[in-house]
Amino acid sequence: MTGTEPAPGLLVLAGTPIGRDEDAPPRLAEELATADVIATEDTRRLKRLLRVLDITPKGRLVSYFEANETARTPDLVRDLLAGARVVVVTDAGMPSVSDPGYRLVAAAVEAGIRVTAVPGPSAVLTALAVSGLPVDRFCFEGFLPRKGGGRTSRLAELSAEPRTMVFFEAPHRLAASLADMAAAFGAERPAAVCRELTKTYEEIKRGALGELARWADEGEIRGEITVVVGGATPGAGRELSATELAELVFAKEEAGGLRRKEAIAEVAAEVGLPKREVFDAVVAAKESTLE
C-alpha cells in the first residue's frame, strides 16, 4: 500500500438490546452516531432504536440481511478498503450469531481489514445464565432443521452430548421440537424454555423435556424462544428401540438423500451400535409394514 492510498477502515460488530432499548450501552450510541456506514438487518428497527437513543447518525444506512448478505458484502468491503468505519447491527443481539455478519467478517479478514466489536446482549448467554442448568461447559446449536426427519436426525447426533445445549426455535415449531427432544434425549432430561428474554412479558419455564413438550402443546406460544437443555450424564446413554433406530435411518434417507447403506452406517456411528444391529432394525420395520 502506498502513501497515496487510503488506509483500510474498521469493521465494528455492534451488539444491540435483545429486548429493551434502554439496555443499549453508551458505546453503542457513540458508534451509531459516528459511523460512516451502518449495515443493519432491518432499517425500521434501527430507526426506532436511534429515536430512543436520540441519535442522528452522520453516515448512511444500508440494509444487510440474509437475502442480500452475499450480494452486498463486496460493496461493504470496498467501503472498508476506502477507509470507512462500518458498523453492523442486527435486530437484536450480536451480529453473525445466527444473524447476518459472518460473511462480512470473513471477507474483511481476508482483505486485511481490522475487525472489532461493541459487546452487547446475547440471547444464548442470557438464557444459559437464567436456566438453572450447568454453565461450565455448553454448546450452541442454533435452529434445528425445520422438517421432522432432519430434526430427528440432528437430535440423535446430540443424544450423548455431555455439555448443556442451547437452541433457538420458532414459536410454531416449539411443541414439535420439544417432543422430538424428549424422544431423543429422554423425557426426564432437564431443560428450560426462555421466552421474550428481558422484555415485558419475559417467561422462563423450567422442567423435564416431556413436561415442557406437553406444556407447549397445550397453549399458544409467542415471541422469541431460546431452549436450554441439560447435557447427557456420562455413561448413561438412552437405549433406542428398533423402531427408533429405523426411523433415524429413514429420516437420513429422506432429509439427506442418502442411500440405505450409507444411512445405516451413519446412524450406527452416531448411536454407537454395530451396523448389523441397525440393519436388522430397518428390516424388522419394513417387515412390520407388510404385515
Side-chain angles (χ1 to χ4, degrees):
M1 180 178 294
T2 67
T4 59
E5 294 177 343
L10 177 67
L11 176 61
V12 182
L13 304 177
T16 54
I18 60 175
R20 300 172 182 266
D21 288 338
E22 55 267 34
D23 288 340
R27 190 180 160 208
L28 173 62
E30 179 184 349
E31 291 289 351
L32 292 175
T34 60
D36 297 305
V37 180
I38 303 175
T40 177
E41 188 175 12
D42 187 330
T43 55
R44 293 169 300 177
R45 172 70 181 85
L46 175 63
K47 287 177 180 177
R48 189 182 78 184
L49 178 62
L50 292 173
R51 286 195 299 271
V52 171
L53 300 179
D54 193 23
I55 292 172
T56 301
K58 75 165 191 175
R60 75 180 194 276
L61 307 185
V62 298
S63 63
Y64 190 66
F65 55 97
E66 184 179 4
N68 73 0
E69 189 177 3
T70 300
R72 189 145 286 176
T73 291
D75 295 334
L76 292 172
V77 171
R78 280 191 286 271
D79 288 330
L80 289 161
L81 288 172
R85 190 181 188 94
V86 176
V87 174
V88 179
V89 293
T90 59
D91 289 350
M94 286 298 298
S96 81
V97 181
S98 284
D99 277 323
Y102 167 75
R103 289 183 177 87
L104 181 54
V105 171
V109 170
E110 180 68 20
I113 296 163
R114 191 160 70 91
V115 180
T116 188
V118 177
S122 165
V124 176
L125 295 180
T126 303
L128 183 68
V130 302
S131 68
L133 296 168
V135 298
D136 54 335
R137 297 180 67 223
F138 69 93
C139 59
F140 173 54
E141 289 294 323
F143 284 94
L144 289 166
R146 296 183 180 185
K147 294 184 178 180
R151 187 167 58 235
T152 299
S153 179
R154 175 74 60 79
L155 291 172
E157 296 172 359
L158 295 169
S159 61
E161 171 58 62
R163 296 171 295 180
T164 299
M165 296 168 282
V166 184
F167 303 86
F168 287 160
E169 191 50 278
H172 63 282
R173 291 195 298 268
L174 179 62
S177 288
L178 289 171
D180 286 346
M181 288 179 184
F185 303 154
E188 298 305 313
R189 181 81 70 91
V193 176
C194 305
R195 188 180 69 85
E196 294 291 88
L197 285 168
T198 77
K199 299 178 184 178
T200 302
Y201 298 104
E202 176 182 273
E203 180 180 20
I204 301 167
K205 186 75 173 177
R206 303 177 182 88
L209 280 171
E211 172 193 344
L212 292 173
R214 290 189 293 274
W215 163 77
D217 191 47
E218 291 170 356
E220 183 178 5
I221 308 297
R222 295 181 178 180
E224 301 287 335
I225 305 293
T226 306
V227 180
V228 186
V229 182
T233 302
R238 191 174 70 86
E239 184 175 343
L240 297 175
S241 68
T243 300
E244 290 172 321
L245 288 173
E247 288 176 349
L248 291 177
V249 172
F250 300 150
K252 281 190 176 292
E253 290 180 322
E254 177 184 349
L258 299 178
R259 292 181 298 173
R260 177 67 51 81
K261 184 177 180 180
E262 295 170 331
I264 288 173
E266 284 199 8
V267 170
E270 290 167 2
V271 302
L273 290 174
K275 286 186 285 187
R276 183 69 195 184
E277 186 170 337
V278 179
F279 173 80
D280 290 342
V282 171
V283 172
K286 285 291 187 181
E287 291 177 347
S288 66
T289 60
L290 298 176
E291 294 177 354

